[in-house]
Amino acid sequence: MVTRAIGKAAIADLQSLGLRVVMVTGDRQGSADRVGRAVGITHSVSDALPATKLQEIARYQGEGHVVVMVGDGGLIYSSADAGATWTAAAS
């Protein structure tokens, strides 16, 4: 899958800069683990509702980290220090 290959390369680039990549997802743990392994993410929070995602952002910011959220959008990204969203392309 092209998206997974691009994601894996992007994550590897971020990690090579010394950045910690964490996946916070609403997906079940098994799915999160499979995706994480496929793209090189070693830490994930699964079954995350929007409130959980906000708590994770606040926790990392409280520890002094800069938080960048990447995903399919939503108001949660406005709580992060920076964010990027995407949408599926029409076929």
Side-chain angles (χ1 to χ4, degrees):
M1 175 178 242
V2 173
T3 303
R4 191 166 290 167
I6 292 169
K8 185 173 185 173
I11 289 164
D13 287 346
L14 293 171
Q15 291 169 333
S16 74
L17 296 171
L19 301 175
R20 181 176 185 197
V21 178
V22 178
M23 178 171 48
V24 182
T25 179
D27 293 340
R28 301 262 186 226
Q29 186 67 53
S31 295
D33 289 344
R34 279 189 299 282
V35 171
R37 279 192 303 273
V39 298
I41 295 174
T42 59
H43 181 73
S44 66
V45 176
S46 61
D47 298 302
L49 297 172
T52 305
K53 294 176 182 181
L54 289 170
Q55 290 169 348
E56 287 295 308
I57 291 169
R59 181 171 70 85
Y60 282 108
Q61 289 172 328
E63 293 173 357
H65 299 285
V66 173
V67 177
V68 178
M69 294 290 292
V70 178
D72 56 3
L75 295 176
I76 292 165
Y77 298 92
S78 65
S79 295
D81 297 297
T85 62
W86 70 83
T87 58
S91 51

